Amino acid sequence: MKLTTSRTDKIIGVKRLVLIAVFISQALVIHYIESFMPILMPGAKLGLSNIITMMVLILLSPLDAFIVVVIRSILGSLLVGNVIGIMYSLTGGILSWCIMSILYTNFRKNLSFIGISVYGAIFFNLGQISVAALVYSSIGLAYTYLPMLMFSSVVTGTFIGFITYYLSIKVKAIKIRVNV
Amino acid sequence: MNKAFKLLDITAYLFAIIIVILTSIGMWSMARNTDGVSLVIESDNTENKTIDFENLETDEIIWLAVTDDNIFQLDYKPESDIYDNIIRIENKTIYMEYANCPDQLCTKTKPIINVGQTIVCLPNKLLIKMAGGEQLNEVDDISH
């Protein structure tokens, strides 16, 4: 199901560049819309941008997913208007990308998209809380926020995993073949 | 079960539960921490008295006898009749051993373990509490 199958496509190539740019813009739009949704507790976002991260992992390569995550974190926070959010989104996104790419490349036989997505959401929140605890020099902050954040990340991770699963079925059915 | 799930998915949920358990243990150990903790006695009749916990051995028992004029710190259990309240400090826990008030609520109160807990004897106008401990936060709130 990979979109870039030839070897030159993987390394260089306009097709890869355009695909990464399209995914980044989709992630930015999703991030912008998500900023309007009400939050139940501080830091517990719905994490819809992780759909894009997982789709890039599936359709392209983990390196491309890393590029999408980094650029989406920086530009997304600037777009919404919350510059301090770059710090939290970046660390959470990079940590969750690490875990998701390791799990996806090694454990795909027995671990479905839902499991990868839940792990990604857990580590995203862990990264955000670690940065917050460092900034405010208080480990008690981590102890108070983490239990509810774990619960919300499990719920949202399952939801995002379901979306990714059904989306991957539809994408596979389209049978995309693009010639450079 | 839905076709989207596979076998090892349950490890993700177990991992979240493990993290919740670890944070609960961390919170509990932080509340039980007794560095720089002191016992403070505030009484309307006599002056306030503070006792530090740092130089206390674990098997050392300290008795505090409270009367109208004074608070005595003793090493042995004093006679019950002549004092208003007797407090025992043992193993970093504070017990209200004896009180001559008619309702006896203070002697029935659970012994103090953590910082911030108090035992009050209202008829004798006595308040003992655990104070101090490390500062968790220098600021109360930050907004961007």
Side-chain angles (χ1 to χ4, degrees):
Chain A
M1 199 182 28
K2 294 273 182 196
L3 290 181
T4 58
T5 47
S6 78
R7 192 159 184 278
T8 47
D9 273 343
K10 278 198 176 61
I11 306 170
I12 56 174
V14 183
K15 181 160 97 170
R16 178 168 165 257
L17 190 64
V18 169
L19 285 171
I20 291 179
V22 166
F23 279 123
I24 291 179
S25 58
Q26 286 175 339
L28 287 180
V29 169
I30 290 182
H31 193 256
Y32 179 66
I33 293 180
E34 194 184 1
S35 73
F36 288 118
M37 293 201 198
I39 52 174
L40 291 169
M41 57 168 291
K45 293 192 294 212
L46 200 49
L48 291 176
S49 320
N50 286 331
I51 303 177
I52 301 295
T53 308
M54 290 215 59
M55 292 310 293
V56 177
L57 257 183
I58 299 167
L59 297 172
L60 297 172
S61 72
L63 174 62
D64 303 331
F66 178 71
I67 297 175
V68 169
V69 160
V70 166
I71 299 186
R72 184 259 298 176
S73 300
I74 300 177
L75 287 185
S77 304
L78 287 178
L79 187 70
V80 171
N82 186 18
V83 181
I84 203 82
I86 293 181
M87 179 171 59
Y88 297 112
S89 289
L90 203 56
T91 46
I94 291 182
L95 192 62
S96 94
W97 166 81
C98 271
I99 298 298
M100 285 207 278
S101 62
I102 291 175
L103 286 178
Y104 183 75
T105 51
N106 294 336
F107 292 103
R108 213 152 53 98
K109 201 160 80 83
N110 279 327
L111 195 62
S112 74
F113 293 149
I114 296 186
I116 299 178
S117 175
V118 169
Y119 269 117
I122 291 176
F123 278 91
F124 197 99
N125 282 327
L126 273 182
Q128 285 187 318
I129 285 297
S130 318
V131 167
L134 272 177
V135 165
Y136 298 147
S137 303
S138 148
I139 192 76
L141 190 148
Y143 291 151
T144 42
Y145 272 110
L146 268 180
M148 278 305 295
L149 274 188
M150 283 297 121
F151 172 70
S152 89
S153 70
V154 154
V155 169
T156 59
T158 313
F159 177 60
I160 299 300
F162 269 120
I163 293 182
T164 311
Y165 174 69
Y166 290 120
L167 194 57
S168 69
I169 292 179
K170 294 299 178 191
V171 168
K172 207 190 301 189
I174 298 180
K175 289 193 187 5
I176 299 177
R177 267 186 90 76
V178 182
N179 291 323
V180 174
Chain B
M1 207 65 214
N2 200 321
K3 227 189 316 183
F5 286 99
K6 282 190 193 164
L7 184 61
L8 286 188
D9 282 341
I10 194 114
T11 57
Y13 299 103
L14 289 179
F15 188 69
I17 294 179
I18 288 176
I19 290 192
V20 171
I21 293 177
L22 285 180
T23 52
S24 313
I25 294 178
M27 263 210 272
W28 183 83
S29 79
M30 202 164 62
R32 283 293 257 135
N33 194 8
T34 51
D35 289 342
V37 168
S38 60
L39 159 74
V40 174
I41 303 179
E42 292 172 7
S43 170
D44 273 359
N45 298 331
T46 72
E47 80 275 6
N48 301 348
K49 190 172 170 67
T50 309
I51 298 173
D52 284 324
F53 273 22
E54 290 205 40
N55 26 0
L56 216 61
E57 309 286 333
T58 22
D59 47 356
E60 191 180 322
I61 307 179
I62 291 192
W63 305 90
L64 293 159
V66 182
T67 64
D68 273 347
D69 309 324
N70 244 332
I71 302 180
F72 304 101
Q73 181 174 346
L74 309 159
D75 284 335
Y76 56 89
K77 180 168 182 176
E79 304 247 339
S80 307
D81 336 0
I82 40 181
Y83 300 107
D84 288 344
N85 295 83
I86 298 180
I87 304 165
R88 178 180 94 228
I89 306 176
E90 177 178 355
N91 199 12
K92 294 186 180 161
T93 317
I94 304 173
Y95 305 81
M96 178 72 87
E97 184 83 14
Y98 164 79
N100 64 352
C101 49
D103 49 10
Q104 292 288 307
L105 280 176
C106 40
T107 46
K108 293 183 199 159
T109 316
K110 215 170 171 190
I112 299 180
I113 309 180
N114 297 328
V115 174
Q117 290 177 324
T118 59
I119 299 181
V120 180
C121 185
L122 274 180
N124 291 332
K125 301 195 182 68
L126 184 70
L127 168 80
I128 53 177
K129 65 182 178 188
M130 264 226 206
E134 54 183 31
Q135 287 279 39
L136 289 181
N137 264 329
E138 288 173 7
V139 295
D140 285 331
D141 197 14
I142 301 179
S143 78
H144 307 296

